[in-house]
Amino acid sequence: MAQPSSCAQSSNGVADESPNMLVYRKMEDIIARMQDEKNGIPIRTVKSFLSKIPSVFSGSDIVQWMQKNLNIEDQVEALHLGTLMAAHGYFFPISDHVLTLKEDGTFYRFQTPYFWPSNCWEPENTDYAVYLCKRTMQNKARLELADYEAESLARLQRAFARKWEFIFMQAEAQAKVDKKRDKIERKILDSQERAFWDVHRPVPGCVNTTEADIKKSSRMKQPHKTRKIQHCQEQLDRHRLKMSKVAESLLSFAEQYLEYDPFFTTPEPSNPWISDDVTSWELEACKEAGQQRVKRWAFCFDEVMKDPVGREQFLKFLESEFSSENLRFWLAVQELKKRPIREVPTRVQEIWEEFLAPGAPSAINVDSRSYDKTTQNIKDPGRYAFQDAQEHIYKLMKSDSYSRFIRSSAYQELLQAKKKKSKNLF
Amino acid sequence: MAAQPSDTLATLKTESETLKTKLEEERAKLHDVELHQVAEKTEALGQFVMKTRRTLKGHGNKVLCLDWCKDKRRIVSSSQDGKVIVWDAFTTNKEHAVTMPCTWVMACAYAPSGCAVACGGLDNKCSVYPLSLDKNENLAAKKKSVAMHTNYLSACCFTNSDMQILTSSGDGTCALWDVESGQMLQSFHGHAADVLCLDLAPSETGNTFVSGGCDKKSCVWDMRTGQCVQSFETHESDINSVRYYPSGDAFASGSDDATCRLYDLRADREVAIYSKESIIFGASSVDFSLSGRLLFGGYNDYTINVWDVLKGTRVSILFGHENRVSTLRVSPDGTAFCSGSWDHTLRIWA
């Protein structure tokens, strides 16, 4: 059989690991523990009819061991992990091509490290052909080909018609070597070899666990150096918050939004995915904001700005205070950042004329520093020309107008409004 | 005497290591308590009933990526066989299908307007397809090539408009593109290997995004300047997925090291690890529930683990997929999440 392949060394001497290697190692650690003489799974030889079944353990042995030694409370979970380990070929049912784990008296055997997936064998079809051919030469009931294997053999015979003689010779040679082995040893090796092929040429319908994510297979072989030193120096002076403060903040955010999280609080009247009823979506879409939605606007300024209805109400309020130009400027700049690059210079000019130029119809009030910077920026207009001004206006609205909005009678009325007239939709 | 190149390299390396240690010390100074300790006062979560509510069948090969439409019910998904499908997940009807000229379409995204989708993969490009109401119209004809990288496209997403796309690539960079002209507006260099994932900050004023890569690093970027403003390196293997916590103050990452981790931007450190002895396969994809209390993780062992973000414990394990879970997204209104798998299907869970 062909030699193990793709665990090659790259030019700087670091082993170029196959993408699945990390998981193989972890499974192998578990296997090592399972095979431990003192604390592992008891392996035994079972007498059956006229023969002996060497070196086996039962499915329930595996599950029990896993639950006890891997901290798994749930049997279903243990079965699932065990099935995965079987599917990767680390142990296998001795009488089945399908590699799953069953929690019963079914017998399993460990795979020999020679056949472990971590060796990165990538067996060719010619190897498989030799193997199937060899099986047909051996006159044992337990080695009879399954239907899918017979079909594979037929296909391979057609594909390799020209070199079949060579394949046949190899199969003969291997069969000869096998005959010389001790009977018990043969039983074990035959089953292990079969399990190897069950991993690399799985039963149709079964997952091929050797498949790799192409992103990992085509990763860059020469990772490049980055400017770590400069970056680290810049990071040192960062202002950081204490963990206790941060933890409180994360907790209070989650708590505040729990009533809006459909996984905790069922939406009114129901979750469409569960009830098949889209009413809650229709209610969301209509212009009248329900009480729960209005309540959110008081959580923070961002909530008002995120919600189109919230923005509308806030704009109305600002109009009543004769400061709507602030919000309109902010919205215009947001819109500017979303335009194709081609339209930017024109839009910048329009915004400048409307809000900032001397004599502007909707003049906004920004600090002199931002104003000067903006004046400079518009000479070479880009998407971020108004960044400083926009930040200043945002802070102004947040610290000043927003709190008044939340205390305003207009907002309070919306908050008190009962859930009304939703029946009018029909 | 001329300085030997090896001297300079060694000196630089030492300086780099020293700075790194110093940075870790600074971060550690404010580590006065663990998140799960503070979370002890919160009520424990009860049992959740989460079931598959819809199964979307139609892809002929591994599903690699999915994205929700803002309308909360449509989904775009892409697959190894080059197909990109737009579904009305609620009815399970397929509404559009496009065949890409390449296989392994690893990234796809829905435009905010709902009128277009973007996708790409082994072709190293990100292309935008406008979605026509006319079912007979050949979508492929209207295709617009936007982004060009020098290696595979691993992720893409629209910023707050249909006019700009953010991409990440196996070439180690991220980039921001103007859709109409295809012009690159900003590029982001800093990862030392393939960038596998990205996520935009949820804030209205936000101008940042986070990325994760094969260099085990996650980086927060300023979209305006192209600078990396924060980075974290605590994972032990590739970072396959990054997602912001709904407040925008933190983000979670899922990695081949079989853990998910939470990083807080204000504390500038990792604040939680979500792992179990029995979870040995990599996490391919993560997303938060609307309140941020739950973290859903899709794993390479075919399962989905649901984590209590604050307490750090696992709340639920969901079985159903018959091969790796490769992609997972919570719907825009948080009523469900969708998982895509190498078993060719997508499942909606609620």
Side-chain angles (χ1 to χ4, degrees):
Chain A
M1 180 148 59
Q3 288 305 302
S5 54
S6 63
C7 291
Q9 306 277 340
S10 69
S11 57
N12 61 0
V14 176
D16 226 350
E17 303 226 301
S18 111
N20 299 332
M21 200 57 82
L22 201 61
V23 184
Y24 292 151
R25 301 262 177 254
K26 288 188 192 168
M27 285 194 279
E28 283 159 21
D29 284 343
I30 297 176
I31 291 291
R33 286 169 62 190
M34 280 181 172
Q35 291 177 319
D36 179 68
E37 272 184 27
K38 270 198 288 180
N39 303 314
I41 300 177
I43 305 174
R44 50 195 200 279
T45 299
V46 173
K47 285 202 173 66
S48 139
F49 302 129
L50 301 164
S51 64
K52 293 194 220 162
I53 307 176
S55 193
V56 290
F57 43 94
S58 75
S60 29
D61 286 341
I62 303 177
V63 175
Q64 272 167 38
W65 186 92
M66 287 176 76
Q67 282 191 270
K68 183 166 158 218
N69 291 278
L70 296 177
N71 233 325
I72 302 179
E73 312 92 35
D74 181 18
Q75 199 184 76
V76 175
E77 209 188 327
L79 265 174
H80 183 82
L81 179 58
T83 296
L84 276 169
M85 291 183 71
H88 282 84
Y90 283 101
F91 50 76
F92 54 91
I94 60 171
S95 320
D96 200 343
H97 281 289
V98 177
L99 301 169
T100 52
L101 178 62
K102 296 207 184 93
E103 218 263 330
D104 55 16
T106 316
F107 288 129
Y108 294 79
R109 195 170 278 147
F110 282 118
Q111 180 60 284
T112 171
Y114 181 73
F115 282 135
W116 279 356
S118 51
N119 293 327
C120 298
W121 294 98
E122 273 168 23
E124 311 265 337
N125 280 330
T126 42
D127 299 319
Y128 192 40
V130 169
Y131 169 69
L132 289 176
C133 196
K134 178 176 73 167
R135 286 262 298 276
T136 61
M137 291 173 183
Q138 295 160 324
N139 210 355
K140 290 241 171 344
R142 64 181 166 82
L143 294 173
E144 218 170 73
L145 292 183
D147 287 342
Y148 79 94
E149 288 178 307
E151 278 169 33
S152 296
L153 181 57
R155 248 195 352 258
L156 289 166
Q157 276 173 326
R158 286 195 298 274
F160 295 131
R162 288 217 225 120
K163 45 175 163 175
W164 197 257
E165 207 183 303
F166 180 57
I167 290 176
F168 191 86
M169 265 166 45
Q170 283 193 291
E172 257 188 339
Q174 283 189 22
K176 233 174 155 182
V177 172
D178 286 347
K179 272 206 179 75
K180 293 204 181 117
R181 285 195 220 274
D182 162 70
K183 232 174 84 172
I184 298 286
E185 205 189 309
R186 262 197 82 179
K187 259 192 178 170
I188 297 176
L189 281 174
D190 282 347
S191 69
Q192 290 173 331
E193 195 182 10
R194 191 196 68 194
F196 171 82
W197 288 109
D198 288 339
V199 170
H200 291 270
R201 296 290 183 277
V203 178
C206 289
V207 173
N208 184 336
T209 56
T210 62
E211 278 188 310
D213 185 342
I214 207 169
K215 287 185 292 204
K216 315 284 175 154
S217 310
S218 51
R219 75 204 299 148
M220 291 197 296
K221 300 286 195 266
Q222 299 286 356
H224 46 259
K225 313 259 180 280
T226 52
R227 286 191 199 84
K228 280 200 175 138
I229 293 174
Q230 190 185 6
H231 179 73
C232 277
Q233 277 169 335
E234 285 164 6
Q235 293 297 302
L236 277 172
D237 294 326
R238 165 182 296 278
H239 171 65
R240 296 177 183 80
L241 284 188
K242 273 199 298 192
M243 257 316 292
S244 43
K245 264 203 157 155
V246 156
E248 288 297 336
S249 163
L250 289 170
L251 248 79
S252 60
F253 180 90
E255 209 176 327
Q256 195 175 46
Y257 284 86
L258 221 61
E259 75 172 275
Y260 298 91
D261 188 337
F263 280 97
F264 290 93
T265 314
T266 313
E268 292 280 332
S270 63
N271 184 325
W273 299 102
I274 301 176
S275 65
D276 287 342
D277 171 14
V278 297
T279 311
S280 77
W281 283 340
E282 283 165 358
L283 287 175
E284 240 332 283
C286 74
K287 280 259 153 178
E288 293 168 7
Q291 191 188 41
Q292 212 194 21
R293 189 169 164 184
V294 173
K295 192 170 130 187
R296 258 176 103 150
W297 302 343
F299 290 171
C300 65
F301 188 38
D302 234 34
E303 284 292 340
V304 174
M305 298 298 256
K306 258 196 328 202
D307 188 342
V309 179
R311 283 200 301 269
E312 210 182 291
Q313 291 299 321
F314 187 52
L315 185 66
K316 261 200 198 149
F317 172 76
L318 290 177
E319 277 165 1
S320 73
E321 293 204 330
F322 303 104
S323 60
S324 67
E325 64 276 358
N326 284 341
L327 182 56
R328 285 191 291 116
F329 169 71
W330 190 88
L331 291 171
V333 177
Q334 285 298 88
E335 186 53 36
L336 166 71
K337 288 191 264 191
K338 297 179 187 180
R339 303 309 305 158
I341 203 85
R342 174 182 50 90
E343 294 177 15
V344 165
T346 326
R347 269 312 277 152
V348 168
Q349 201 53 38
E350 285 169 6
I351 294 175
W352 171 260
E353 299 290 321
E354 175 75 20
F355 296 99
L356 285 161
S362 310
I364 55 170
N365 242 327
V366 288
D367 61 301
S368 54
R369 196 187 127 268
S370 304
Y371 192 85
D372 290 338
K373 259 194 143 187
T374 313
T375 317
Q376 283 300 108
N377 288 346
I378 59 160
K379 292 186 183 150
D380 182 17
R383 287 155 61 239
Y384 293 102
F386 299 107
Q387 193 63 17
D388 295 281
Q390 194 194 24
E391 275 168 22
H392 177 89
I393 291 292
Y394 186 85
K395 284 201 190 103
L396 198 65
M397 288 194 292
K398 179 174 172 177
S399 60
D400 195 30
S401 324
Y402 172 63
S403 43
R404 282 203 302 280
F405 169 64
I406 296 300
R407 291 196 306 267
S408 73
S409 50
Y411 177 74
Q412 292 301 325
E413 263 171 47
L414 284 170
L415 201 55
Q416 303 305 330
K418 296 277 185 280
K419 265 172 246 136
K420 47 183 170 152
K421 302 191 233 109
S422 52
K423 310 277 195 277
N424 279 356
L425 285 170
F426 308 111
Chain B
M1 185 162 78
Q4 296 293 334
S6 55
D7 287 341
T8 324
L9 200 64
T11 327
L12 279 178
K13 218 176 171 214
T14 324
E15 197 185 338
S16 168
E17 292 303 309
T18 318
L19 274 173
K20 252 181 116 180
T21 317
K22 242 184 137 187
L23 188 58
E24 286 313 310
E25 280 168 15
E26 285 300 310
R27 283 172 164 170
K29 277 182 188 165
L30 296 164
H31 189 195
D32 53 348
V33 74
E34 294 287 346
L35 175 61
H36 63 83
Q37 288 172 311
V38 177
E40 273 165 21
K41 61 186 179 196
T42 319
E43 250 183 70
L45 298 178
Q47 287 281 27
F48 283 87
V49 175
M50 285 182 216
K51 291 201 259 189
T52 301
R53 304 291 174 173
R54 303 283 193 282
T55 306
L56 306 179
K57 295 191 187 171
H59 276 295
N61 211 318
K62 307 178 178 64
V63 176
L64 303 175
C65 189
L66 78 93
D67 191 20
W68 286 87
C69 176
K70 283 215 158 88
D71 74 357
K72 309 159 198 171
R73 54 190 286 172
R74 282 175 176 74
I75 287 179
V76 61
S77 60
S78 64
S79 153
Q80 186 192 337
D81 64 358
K83 285 255 182 357
V84 175
I85 300 179
V86 175
W87 317 74
D88 176 347
F90 193 73
T91 59
T92 73
N93 288 337
K94 296 188 235 335
E95 297 195 334
H96 303 272
V98 176
T99 307
M100 292 279 284
C102 68
T103 58
W104 289 87
V105 187
M106 304 163 191
C108 64
Y110 226 120
S113 68
C115 300
V117 293
C119 51
L122 279 187
D123 58 354
N124 301 357
K125 292 197 278 205
C126 184
S127 309
V128 176
Y129 292 85
L131 295 175
S132 163
L133 288 171
D134 177 2
K135 297 290 166 75
N136 294 321
E137 195 174 352
N138 182 9
L139 284 184
K142 292 265 177 80
K143 165 177 153 177
K144 192 184 183 60
S145 249
V146 174
M148 283 287 289
H149 279 280
T150 53
N151 205 341
Y152 63 84
L153 187 83
S154 54
C156 63
C157 84
F158 286 87
T159 60
N160 295 320
S161 94
D162 284 20
M163 299 293 140
Q164 282 136 31
I165 288 190
L166 194 57
T167 59
S168 64
S169 164
D171 66 14
T173 71
C174 300
L176 182 68
W177 309 82
D178 178 66
V179 173
E180 197 194 48
S181 62
Q183 190 187 332
M184 187 197 290
L185 299 171
Q186 184 63 257
S187 68
F188 306 90
H189 297 259
H191 276 287
D194 310 28
V195 186
L196 295 177
C197 51
L198 57 81
D199 190 33
L200 268 175
S203 160
E204 283 303 292
T205 55
N207 256 331
T208 59
F209 71 95
V210 62
S211 66
C214 290
D215 56 356
K216 313 174 196 173
K217 241 174 34 175
S218 48
C219 297
V220 180
W221 305 89
D222 179 335
M223 290 212 295
R224 182 183 171 190
T225 60
Q227 293 302 311
C228 168
V229 294
Q230 251 175 312
S231 68
F232 305 90
E233 209 169 336
T234 62
H235 271 293
E236 294 166 13
S237 186
D238 300 1
I239 298 176
N240 298 314
S241 174
V242 285
R243 197 69 65 205
Y244 270 95
Y245 185 76
S247 72
D249 294 319
F251 68 89
S253 55
S255 160
D256 275 348
D257 67 8
T259 71
C260 298
R261 296 174 196 235
L262 186 70
Y263 299 88
D264 189 285
L265 301 176
R266 300 159 298 184
D268 188 37
R269 59 178 297 120
E270 171 193 294
V271 300
I273 306 183
Y274 308 101
S275 67
K276 256 180 164 274
E277 196 181 348
S278 54
I279 301 177
I280 60 175
F281 285 79
S284 63
S285 190
V286 297
D287 205 352
F288 286 98
S289 72
L290 193 139
S291 65
R293 184 65 195 268
L294 299 176
L295 180 70
F296 303 106
Y299 289 73
N300 290 340
D301 65 3
Y302 320 172
T303 68
I304 295 163
N305 288 292
V306 185
W307 301 93
D308 178 333
V309 170
L310 304 175
K311 289 188 185 279
T313 54
R314 185 181 62 191
V315 165
S316 209
I317 176 170
L318 304 174
F319 298 98
H321 278 297
E322 294 168 10
N323 205 328
R324 296 192 194 190
V325 178
S326 52
T327 176
L328 185 156
R329 295 297 292 268
V330 172
S331 74
D333 64 351
T335 48
F337 68 88
C338 181
S339 58
S341 163
W342 279 19
D343 70 4
H344 309 187
T345 71
L346 293 109
R347 285 172 179 248
I348 310 282
W349 305 79

